[in-house]
Amino acid sequence: MRHPDVLAPQLRFSHIGFFVRNIDQQAVFYKEVLGFTETDRGTLPTPSGEARLVFLSRDPDEHHQIVLVSGRPSEQHFNVINQISLKAASLEGLQALHRELQRRKVGELTAVTHGNAVSVYFRDPEGNRIELYVDTPWYVSQPCRVEVPIDLPADELFAWIEAHARGLEGFRPRAQWRAEMAARMGLTP
């Protein structure tokens, strides 16, 4: 049931990130046992220190379907889910959702570019991190996270993101990256 007061552009489930204790062991398991391909790996500063990330996919159209994130403590009651990600239908829809989330005063609302996507992150009422995003037509090496001026008109925001991405390591068209991943995944003749 759709509520008239909720702005909800088309969203589809995309990927999940979760915290792990032994990132290398977990990466080997997902690659060797479940057939995922490692698409990127790197570090990212976080409020609790530097995190290691491994991006995995079984689909060359998706940069990642799973993100393994270091930092899972040994305690049993720790929530291993790093984020739940939903793909928006358009940049304009993402911006409209950002405005609605601002109106609702959700926690930890931030808008960033990853070079290959523009994302809006926030917390749900129980503190779970949610990502809403749209892809860009480019690839850059991951991880990458830079705040964006989300309130710019969509065409200006898109130009800002492209100008930024062009200066990042690994920049190339997404179609080129996709072809490289399809070959690594054994999906090309």
Side-chain angles (χ1 to χ4, degrees), residues 112-143:
V112 303
T113 180
H114 299 294
N116 62 358
V118 58
S119 302
V120 171
Y121 289 94
F122 60 98
R123 299 283 176 173
D124 73 10
E126 292 192 359
N128 299 301
R129 188 163 74 143
I130 308 293
E131 176 194 25
L132 308 177
Y133 77 99
V134 293
D135 285 325
T136 69
W138 318 288
Y139 165 81
V140 302
S141 298
Q142 297 297 311

Side-chain angles (χ1 to χ4, degrees), residues 83-98:
Q83 69 188 40
I84 300 166
S85 300
L86 302 168
K87 193 178 243 185
S90 68
L91 182 58
E92 293 83 359
L94 184 67
Q95 289 176 301
L97 241 168
H98 182 267

Side-chain angles (χ1 to χ4, degrees), residues 39 43-44 49 63 92 102 110 116 125 142 151 154 158:
T39 61
T43 61
L44 192 66
H63 176 266
E92 293 83 359
Q102 278 181 314
T110 186
N116 62 358
Q142 297 297 311
D151 294 325
F158 190 77

Side-chain angles (χ1 to χ4, degrees), residues 71-93:
R72 179 179 176 180
S74 58
E75 63 193 61
Q76 295 299 322
H77 300 292
F78 178 79
N79 182 358
V80 298
I81 302 302
N82 172 267
Q83 69 188 40
I84 300 166
S85 300
L86 302 168
K87 193 178 243 185
S90 68
L91 182 58
E92 293 83 359

Side-chain angles (χ1 to χ4, degrees), residues 33-52:
V33 176
L34 299 178
F36 280 83
T37 297
E38 185 174 313
T39 61
D40 261 314
R41 154 185 305 250
T43 61
L44 192 66
T46 73
S48 23
E50 188 170 84
R52 293 177 58 206

